Amino acid sequence: MKVIDFRLRPPLKGYLDTIMYSQGARRDRITGFHGMKPARSAQEQSVERLFSEMDEAGITRGVAMGRTSGPYGTVSNEDLAAIVREYPSRFIGVASIDPSDRRKAIAQIESARAAGLVGVNLEPGAYPRPLYADDRRLYPIYAYCEDNGIPVVMMAGGSAGPDLSYTVPVHVDRVAGDFPRMKLAISHGGWPWVHEILHVAFRRENVYISPDQYLCGMPGTEEYVRAANGYLAERFLYASSYPFLCASAYLAWFRTLPIRPEIMERLLYRNAGEFLGVSV
Amino acid sequence: MKVIDFRLRPPLKGYLDTIMYSQGARRDRITGFHGMKPARSAQEQSVERLFSEMDEAGITRGVAMGRTSGPYGTVSNEDLAAIVREYPSRFIGVASIDPSDRRKAIAQIESARAAGLVGVNLEPGAYPRPLYADDRRLYPIYAYCEDNGIPVVMMAGGSAGPDLSYTVPVHVDRVAGDFPRMKLAISHGGWPWVHEILHVAFRRENVYISPDQYLCGMPGTEEYVRAANGYLAERFLYASSYPFLCASAYLAWFRTLPIRPEIMERLLYRNAGEFLGVSV
Amino acid sequence: MKVIDFRLRPPLKGYLDTIMYSQGARRDRITGFHGMKPARSAQEQSVERLFSEMDEAGITRGVAMGRTSGPYGTVSNEDLAAIVREYPSRFIGVASIDPSDRRKAIAQIESARAAGLVGVNLEPGAYPRPLYADDRRLYPIYAYCEDNGIPVVMMAGGSAGPDLSYTVPVHVDRVAGDFPRMKLAISHGGWPWVHEILHVAFRRENVYISPDQYLCGMPGTEEYVRAANGYLAERFLYASSYPFLCASAYLAWFRTLPIRPEIMERLLYRNAGEFLGVSV
């Protein structure tokens, strides 16, 4: 069975400047909080070892999310496009934007798509000037994405902003309701607002949920799994959030969850392929 | 054992104009999200079949909630009173109001009671102009109900408003605290704010909880059941939220939950009878 | 094994004037809501019986929290210091403050420490004029505690304020983020915001969690226990919240939880000792 890991940031180019690689001790401590061991490839910053880990586990491709952040660092779309060009069988790239200028942001999206990136990743609370997901300044960008059929990924869970108010799912709920034809995937699965984000996905059928690392060892696992087995079967996106969790160890753990066998391929790759509009 | 279904809207009169009947495909999709099959009576809009389903399952009476809504449609108190007059052994009616004019709202309550309806159902987030439950404009109505011993039902869960902010239980908490002698039942059980609404009921002993359809296949089932088995035993109200769920299939499912046998009759009808002040 | 009960208010001096003793019927009803029976020592207001109960259960010492409250009553630091002086082997005292004057509050802390109290207990929502935890008027006090290495306990869960907005963990999250070197213990464990407070503790490594009475019979038990077994093992603080729960019966119940045996001593006393800076 194919596997798309919906959030996998390799040790390449600009990623190495973000704190997920430049602050390895912090990353490894977070890994331990999830009850997992660090990936050797992350500690060694070795993409070749990452490929070995992916191959051993059977992970077909990873979705390399772009990032334009103050506290967490930035990976340019140019770097991302270069990664995808160099390893087209390994990675799918999703662009990031600078939200401070709507015209520039839309130009970034256009350039990124021309360069082979397939969607837009927004991280509102992590921008140099943090925004709520339903900030008016993001609305022209949502409108552009909805009108042009561009899938939008949003980091809206975990430490996605300066404080917990940035992940309250009401912000996402408004965006999803105001742009009902825009496909919207929630990275970090809205955690810790587990019940609430699952309500958003219950009510808004354009919302996809990817709990990624927060599925593991954190409160709420059972609730995410129940939804995945039920109404979320076609909108749950598998992801490890590598390098925070080891992509291969996470997949082995994920396979132990009580998920209906007949939907496993939807969770592991088909939903991601449909969401991103790519064939795998 | 008798059964009162605390939220059951029959395919009669004004109900047929609300979207729960006029948009059958939407309703049936929601039913499926709960992992259930549509009721034949709902799809056929047949009250006779509904009565057969109720009789087979042993559902004594259903509480027909009134509704004055923008997006969801309206069932007039006159229609509701006519339904109760025609089928007094089947239905208990709870009135709705137009909250835009407090004097008119109170006159509606007085008329409705004179016509045999036994309480007031408020759906603040679903009014043509949505309100939070603790909006000052509702406070004269709460005061009237508290002073006159009128039980108040409130839809405060699920898609009860334009966005998730309308169901945050802080609004309900304030109302329950400000009107401590007003009996207040929460339809849709405050879902998805399961822990939080259960806190409200822990703290405010005038609050009753009826998770109805959101008990089924959604995150939080175990927590509602734990509370029902514990401090909520005298304030849990059984309901199917028909026609969203099939009243008889829901009851069969409800009976499979790990509920203490000795409280089952409280949950299934005695609490509702006491809350509404009707003998069954 | 030693046991420190992190929240234990004996029937002595000013405590007898607070509603936990002066309103015994209310207290006992709450006890029942948790599915527990009242402590005889609480009902009899007998400290000798409390000592018997502690000895039988093996509870080494209790942390007597100070309180300066409108609705709940006040226990002066002078009373608290007298209790600790009289029963040094039984109690550890944590001071309270009057937050309405920052200079006075800091003077209270200095006096209390000189008198043998070892930390500061803040109950923002329960002050005569309720405050949110991140109210600017508390920030000079936090700064003082951070700069002087004083551990801070905060009641931020349960009925900690006039309504549910006072326990929303975003307030605590901001405080913990703004004072990263201040050790902060959350009494009542942020309940009912279980997932959310556990996120705060995941993100802010200066935060300790003590669910105390809300661990018992309430939604969220499993999630608190999972965190205690995982990333919270060194920051979970055992407490009964006596007299709301019987200290000995609660301990017996706590020992039935599926907690890893090798961390039990951390949860039961070592974490508390480290947090308060006392040897046991």
Side-chain angles (χ1 to χ4, degrees), chain A residues 33-259:
Chain A
F33 280 5
H34 289 282
M36 301 290 267
K37 295 206 174 101
R40 274 187 66 182
S41 58
Q43 294 188 311
E44 297 175 6
Q45 304 194 352
S46 161
V47 75
E48 292 308 324
R49 187 172 291 282
L50 170 61
F51 292 161
S52 299
E53 291 168 356
M54 290 172 70
D55 288 343
E56 282 165 28
I59 298 165
T60 319
R61 292 168 94 184
V63 179
M65 296 289 173
R67 168 161 280 176
T68 301
S69 173
Y72 297 139
T74 290
V75 183
S76 71
N77 290 341
E78 290 68 29
D79 275 11
L80 210 50
I83 291 170
V84 171
R85 263 197 311 275
E86 188 168 354
Y87 304 105
S89 68
R90 293 289 186 181
F91 299 116
I92 301 162
V94 171
S96 71
I97 58 155
D98 172 357
S100 67
D101 177 333
R102 66 180 168 86
R103 287 190 187 84
K104 178 183 165 196
I106 287 170
Q108 284 180 298
I109 297 172
E110 290 174 349
S111 300
R113 295 179 84 201
L117 307 182
V118 299
V120 178
N121 180 41
L122 304 177
E123 305 191 337
Y127 289 129
R129 178 174 176 177
L131 301 174
Y132 290 105
D134 56 352
D135 191 287
R136 67 194 183 282
R137 288 164 289 192
L138 293 172
Y139 267 52
I141 297 164
Y142 295 136
Y144 179 83
C145 290
E146 182 178 61
D147 291 348
N148 290 279
I150 300 169
V152 173
V153 181
M154 183 181 293
M155 180 171 72
S159 300
D163 65 49
L164 185 55
S165 68
Y166 286 82
T167 58
V168 179
V170 65
H171 307 300
V172 167
D173 188 35
R174 287 179 183 143
V175 172
D178 289 336
F179 299 97
R181 292 188 305 282
M182 179 179 78
K183 288 192 290 185
L184 179 62
I186 306 302
S187 277
H188 294 349
W191 191 81
W193 307 92
V194 181
H195 295 76
E196 293 76 23
I197 200 74
L198 291 174
H199 158 80
V200 173
F202 178 87
R203 180 174 193 181
R204 313 290 186 192
E205 298 184 39
N206 52 327
V207 170
Y208 292 65
I209 302 290
S210 187
D212 54 57
Q213 72 190 80
Y214 294 103
L215 189 67
C216 179
M218 298 290 119
T221 308
E222 293 76 11
E223 304 298 11
Y224 285 125
V225 168
R226 170 165 19 193
N229 275 326
Y231 64 88
L232 211 59
E234 304 193 353
R235 292 182 283 132
F236 182 102
L237 302 167
Y238 168 83
S240 69
S241 205
Y242 177 92
F244 284 103
L245 293 185
C246 171
S248 56
Y250 181 87
L251 180 56
W253 171 82
F254 186 85
R255 289 186 189 279
T256 69
L257 294 172
I259 291 167

Side-chain angles (χ1 to χ4, degrees), chain A residues 29-30 33-34 72 158-159 161-165 191-196 214 218-222, chain C residues 168-170 173-174 193-205 223 226-227 230-231 235:
Chain A
R29 200 168 60 252
I30 291 173
F33 280 5
H34 289 282
Y72 297 139
S159 300
D163 65 49
L164 185 55
S165 68
W191 191 81
W193 307 92
V194 181
H195 295 76
E196 293 76 23
Y214 294 103
M218 298 290 119
T221 308
E222 293 76 11
Chain C
V168 179
V170 65
D173 188 35
R174 288 179 184 143
W193 305 93
V194 181
H195 295 75
E196 292 77 22
I197 200 74
L198 291 173
H199 158 79
V200 173
F202 178 87
R203 180 174 192 181
R204 313 292 186 191
E205 298 184 39
E223 304 298 12
R226 171 165 19 194
Y231 65 88
R235 292 183 282 133

